[in-house]
Structure formats: C-alpha cells, structure tokens
C-alpha cells in the first residue's frame, strides 16, 4: 500500500478510454498513486493498473457508473481506504453519440445528459467534499462548444453545462486551496473521436488546426498534469487544447 502521508493520489474517471489512459500514465510518471476508473471495460483498467505496477508505480482499478451517486460515494470511499487521501480528480468519462438535432432520438439524448452532465455533477460534488487542500478538480468539455460542428448538438449541450458548473464550483470552493478547471480538447485521435468517421472527414479535421494534425491523447494529458500539480494560479477556466483550432 502507498505511503498515506507522502504520495499524491489522483482518481481518473473514464480511465479505460484513450485520453483517460494517457492521463493515468502521465500522472503515474509524476509519481501519483492512481485510482483507475472504468464503467464497462474492467479488463483494460486492470491492464493499465498492471502496467503502472510494472513501472514501479501504485494503482488500483475502481468501477461504477459515474451518474450513480451511491456507486460513486462507495468508489470515493474505496479510494480513500486504499490510499488514505484524494488530491486530484480528473473526470474524463463521457459519451458522444452524434446526430442532427431534428432527428435525434430522445432516449439517446437522455443517456448523453445522464452520463455527461449528471455524471460530471455527481463526481464534482463528491470531489468537492473529498479533495484535500492543494488539490485539483479537472472536468472535460470539448472545443466543439466553440466550433459548433453540425451533428454535435446534444454533445455540445452537455459539455456547455459542464463548463458552466465547473466555473461555479471554482468560486464555491473559495478559501479551500482547490483549483477547478475544464479541459476542452479539439479533434483528438481516440476511438471515441474516430468512431463513425470516414477517412475524408478525419483528414479534413486533422488539417483544420494551424498545426495540421489531430491531437494525441498525450497532448491532452500534458495539460491535465500541469493543472493537477504546478498550475496553482489557473482556476475557474476552460482550457482549449486544440492546436489553435478557432
């Protein structure tokens, strides 16, 4: 078990995903103990835990639906029992079913809102109660809240809500020495982003930014690591990590 007085501990939700797993690896490289959250892919979370352990780090997998408040309360308790503290919560968990607003299935809409909005709210609420002074809460939005691509309407609606609640929470935690920010990636080469897109669409999006490439999960993880640790004067912000995409 990790030294409960010295090692900073981070909980990463959605850690079995492309960005989430890169965040886990990046924070592990900085010496964090990691709680690696999964919703459905336990095997991938276990592989990530084993990878960190093989590199000399400390990690444990934790599962549950981020929108289930009882499950998340138990999860936060499990992390504190294992490591003795929580310093950073990175909430990457989310879903992105696309479709035009005029034809969008309302059951799918409700699922997006439950996962992306309620899930972020539940995790943020618990993070506000458990994260120690000197810590950080980092939620995830998307650059599409600014680029407003067609077919992203429900996803944009959910992530605009995340940006708003995150900025409010930063102000509600006045005096606690806890930073609260949102990271908003641009097009990033993950399974979530690439799913359902043809090669022409991917190529077009890759050249949309001035740097003329898709983001890599490692690009996003680098920003998260900065916000999790040294960036103590960035608070209540949405950080666009998109290679200059307007």
């Amino acid at each position: 078990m990790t030294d409960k007085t010295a090692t900073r501990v981070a909980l990463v939700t959605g850690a079995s995903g492309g960005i989430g797993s890169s965040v886990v690896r990046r924070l592990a490289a900085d010496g964090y103990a990691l709680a690696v959250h999964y919703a459905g892919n336990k095997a991938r979370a276990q592989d990530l835990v084993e990878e960190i352990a093989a590199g000399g780090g400390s990690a444990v997998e934790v599962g549950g639906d981020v929108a289930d408040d009882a499950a998340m309360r138990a999860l936060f308790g499990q992390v504190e029992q294992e490591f003795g503290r929580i310093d950073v919560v990175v909430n990457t968990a989310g879903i992105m079913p696309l479709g035009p607003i005029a034809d969008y299935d309302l059951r799918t809409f409700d699922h997006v809102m439950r996962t992306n909005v309620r899930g972020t709210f539940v995790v943020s609420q618990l993070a506000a109660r458990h994260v120690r002074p000197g810590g950080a809460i980092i939620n995830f939005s998307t650059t599409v809240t600014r680029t407003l691509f067609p077919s992203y309407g429900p996803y944009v609606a959910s992530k605009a809500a995340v940006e708003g609640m995150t900025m409010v929470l930063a102000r509600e935690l006045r005096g606690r020495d806890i930073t609260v920010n949102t990271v908003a990636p641009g097009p990033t080469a993950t399974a979530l982003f690439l799913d359902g897109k043809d090669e022409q669409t991917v190529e077009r999006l890759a050249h949309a930014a001035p740097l003329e490439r898709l983001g890599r999960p490692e690009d996003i993880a680098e920003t998260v690591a900065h916000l999790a640790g040294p960036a103590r004067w960035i608070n209540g912000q949405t950080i666009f990590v998109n290679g200059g995409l307007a």
Side-chain angles (χ1 to χ4, degrees):
M1 184 174 291
T2 300
D3 182 341
K4 293 187 177 183
T5 62
T7 303
R8 280 171 68 83
V9 175
L11 163 62
V12 181
T13 73
S16 60
I19 289 176
S21 59
S22 288
V23 168
V24 166
R25 292 185 180 100
R26 182 63 180 80
L27 294 180
D30 282 349
Y32 284 77
L34 274 303
V36 179
H37 165 266
Y38 66 91
N41 198 337
K42 182 175 183 177
R44 186 164 182 179
Q46 288 176 327
D47 288 345
L48 193 52
V49 167
E50 291 172 6
E51 176 186 326
I52 292 167
S58 181
V60 61
E61 77 268 10
V62 290
D65 175 2
V66 290
D68 183 332
D69 56 321
M72 288 301 102
R73 283 197 304 271
L75 183 149
F76 271 74
Q78 180 183 350
V79 176
E80 288 185 324
Q81 182 176 11
E82 177 70 24
F83 295 119
R85 59 193 286 168
I86 300 174
D87 298 281
V88 175
V89 173
V90 185
N91 194 22
T92 78
I95 60 173
M96 191 176 66
L98 302 182
I101 292 171
D103 302 321
Y104 204 84
D105 179 71
L106 288 179
R107 288 172 298 182
T108 304
F109 179 86
D110 289 343
H111 185 41
V112 170
M113 293 298 149
R114 185 179 188 278
T115 301
N116 294 358
V117 180
R118 179 185 166 95
T120 298
F121 189 93
V122 168
V123 172
S124 295
Q125 183 180 72
L126 289 164
R129 297 171 182 172
H130 290 268
V131 168
R132 291 163 57 97
I137 301 169
I138 303 165
N139 288 325
F140 265 70
S141 181
T142 172
T143 291
V144 190
T145 58
R146 302 300 185 269
T147 57
L148 304 174
F149 294 147
S151 80
Y152 281 78
Y155 185 64
V156 164
S158 71
K159 292 304 187 178
V162 168
E163 290 182 20
M165 77 172 77
T166 303
M167 293 176 71
V168 170
L169 181 58
R171 286 147 182 82
E172 291 179 345
L173 296 187
R174 172 183 292 273
R176 295 270 305 277
D177 189 26
I178 297 170
T179 61
V180 189
N181 293 289
T182 306
V183 172
T188 305
T190 65
L192 180 67
F193 170 76
L194 295 172
D195 183 44
K197 294 182 176 67
D198 59 33
E199 185 176 346
Q200 183 179 9
T201 299
V202 172
E203 189 70 14
R204 176 176 55 80
L205 291 170
H207 284 83
L211 294 179
E212 295 191 327
R213 66 171 175 86
L214 292 178
R216 295 182 291 263
E218 295 80 7
D219 296 321
I220 314 306
E222 192 67 32
T223 298
V224 171
H226 188 57
L227 293 172
R232 301 306 304 164
W233 198 234
I234 302 176
N235 190 33
Q237 305 298 316
T238 298
I239 310 297
F240 291 89
V241 188
N242 58 24
L245 185 65

